[in-house]
């Protein structure tokens, strides 16, 4: 289980945290000719090898990197603007299945790096997942709707404020679950609803209201499920 957690952490770092948007755009434009595609592949291999923590795992890390690049190439060559959302989901599922397969095949139990226990890896992976990766997942899932209101003034909004608010609210929910303060989640959701109510009422846009509601529920739901999973895993150790 800990090996899978570490490989999942490596995947989150390589696919979301340490992959700039400029890399993604260049890969989509140049496909197999993009130098960033091969840097991306190399990054995944290095991260998997380092986090696994054993020399014997290096061939498996190389396998993860090669299959990751192959899956990405398929997505880059076959996705269109209309199917980008579907290919993103299929791409992530394929990567996770590869990691599961490697874990099932690999026999040795990875050593613990730098004296950190298994709880550290579980907590870090859970926290990292509900930050930028979850923001990208939510944005991709609700990308089929276009709620932009002609009455809304985007100039009055801080740059990327919605993204940071979403990350912060998920981190709060995650902490509330780990500390057993489930009632605080309701207060947080109510507080956000009160602050949002004025903007949505002024916009008078039902689509925008539904869009915000769906995004908020997915955000809170993801944080709750992640928190419960992490809490359960920590209880097993």
């Amino acid at each position: 289980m800990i090996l899978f957690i570490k490989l999942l952490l490596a995947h989150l770092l390589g696919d979301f945290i340490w992959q700039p948007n400029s890399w993604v755009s260049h890969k989509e434009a140049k496909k197999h000719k993009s130098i960033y595609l091969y840097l991306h592949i190399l990054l995944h291999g290095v991260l998997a090898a380092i986090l696994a923590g054993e020399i014997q795992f290096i061939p498996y890390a190389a396998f993860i990197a090669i299959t990751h690049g192959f899956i990405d190439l398929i997505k880059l060559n076959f996705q269109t603007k209309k199917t980008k959302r579907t290919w993103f989901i299929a791409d992530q599922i394929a990567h996770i299945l590869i990691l599961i397969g490697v874990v099932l095949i690999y026999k040795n139990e990875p050593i613990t790096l730098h004296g950190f226990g298994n709880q550290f890896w579980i907590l870090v992976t859970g926290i990292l997942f509900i930050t930028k990766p979850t923001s990208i997942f939510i944005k991709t899932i609700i990308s089929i709707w276009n709620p932009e209101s002609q009455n809304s003034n985007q100039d009055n909004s801080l740059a990327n404020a919605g993204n940071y608010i979403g990350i912060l609210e998920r981190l709060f929910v995650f902490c509330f679950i780990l500390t057993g303060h489930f009632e605080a989640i309701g207060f947080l959701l109510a507080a956000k609803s009160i602050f949002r109510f004025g903007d949505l009422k002024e916009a008078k846009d039902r689509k925008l209201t539904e869009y915000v509601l769906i995004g908020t529920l997915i955000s809170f739901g993801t944080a709750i499920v992640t928190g419960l999973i992490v809490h359960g895993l920590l209880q097993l150790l």
Side-chain angles (χ1 to χ4, degrees):
M1 180 186 69
I2 297 302
L3 175 59
F4 175 74
I5 294 295
K6 291 182 177 182
L7 294 180
L8 179 60
L9 176 59
H11 175 73
L12 294 176
L13 289 171
D15 239 22
F16 299 98
I17 305 300
W18 289 339
Q19 181 177 211
N21 292 332
S22 58
W23 285 26
V24 177
S25 300
H26 196 272
K27 288 192 301 179
E28 290 177 347
K30 301 295 183 179
K31 298 180 173 57
H32 66 280
K33 295 181 180 180
S34 174
I35 183 62
Y36 296 116
L37 172 64
Y38 303 101
L39 289 175
H40 181 66
I41 294 172
L42 178 62
L43 178 62
H44 273 278
V46 171
L47 287 172
I50 292 176
L51 292 182
E54 285 194 345
I55 297 177
Q56 296 91 331
F57 191 79
I58 291 179
Y60 295 88
F63 174 76
I64 291 174
I66 293 172
T67 53
H68 190 101
F70 181 72
I71 293 170
D72 279 5
L73 270 176
I74 294 177
K75 181 187 71 171
L76 291 171
N77 282 281
F78 288 97
Q79 73 177 4
T80 62
K81 188 175 182 180
K82 292 183 178 180
T83 62
K84 193 172 182 179
R85 174 173 170 265
T86 302
W87 275 105
F88 173 81
I89 297 174
D91 170 81
Q92 293 301 314
I93 292 175
H95 291 320
I96 299 301
L97 290 177
I98 290 294
L99 298 183
I100 294 174
V102 169
V103 170
L104 294 176
I105 294 174
Y106 189 66
K107 300 299 182 182
N108 294 342
E109 186 67 22
I111 62 175
T112 303
L113 296 180
H114 309 302
F116 293 125
N118 293 335
Q119 291 183 344
F120 170 82
W121 299 110
I122 295 173
L123 280 172
V124 169
T125 303
I127 292 172
L128 190 68
F129 174 72
I130 59 175
T131 56
K132 185 177 178 181
T134 298
S135 296
I136 295 176
F137 277 117
I138 294 175
K139 182 179 179 181
T140 302
I141 291 173
I142 63 180
S143 62
I144 55 176
W145 297 292
N146 182 20
E148 294 297 332
S149 173
Q150 294 180 354
N151 299 324
S152 62
N153 186 0
Q154 298 298 328
D155 293 335
N156 293 330
S157 177
L158 298 174
N160 297 320
N163 181 43
Y164 293 126
I165 291 173
I167 291 175
L168 288 173
E169 72 186 16
R170 289 191 295 274
L171 289 174
F172 277 122
V173 171
F174 184 82
C175 292
F176 291 151
I177 291 178
L178 292 187
T179 56
H181 295 89
F182 293 92
E183 68 283 355
I185 300 175
F187 285 109
L188 181 62
L189 182 59
K192 181 177 181 179
S193 300
I194 292 173
F195 281 111
R196 270 292 191 177
F197 179 76
D199 293 336
L200 296 176
K201 183 179 180 181
E202 182 179 350
K204 297 180 180 180
D205 191 332
R206 182 174 180 178
K207 291 183 179 180
L208 179 61
T209 303
E210 293 171 344
Y211 181 85
V212 171
L213 180 60
I214 292 172
T216 297
L217 293 178
I218 294 176
S219 180
F220 272 79
T222 303
I224 291 172
V225 171
T226 303
L228 291 174
I229 291 175
V230 169
H231 183 268
L233 292 176
L234 293 177
Q235 294 299 313
L236 292 175
L237 296 179

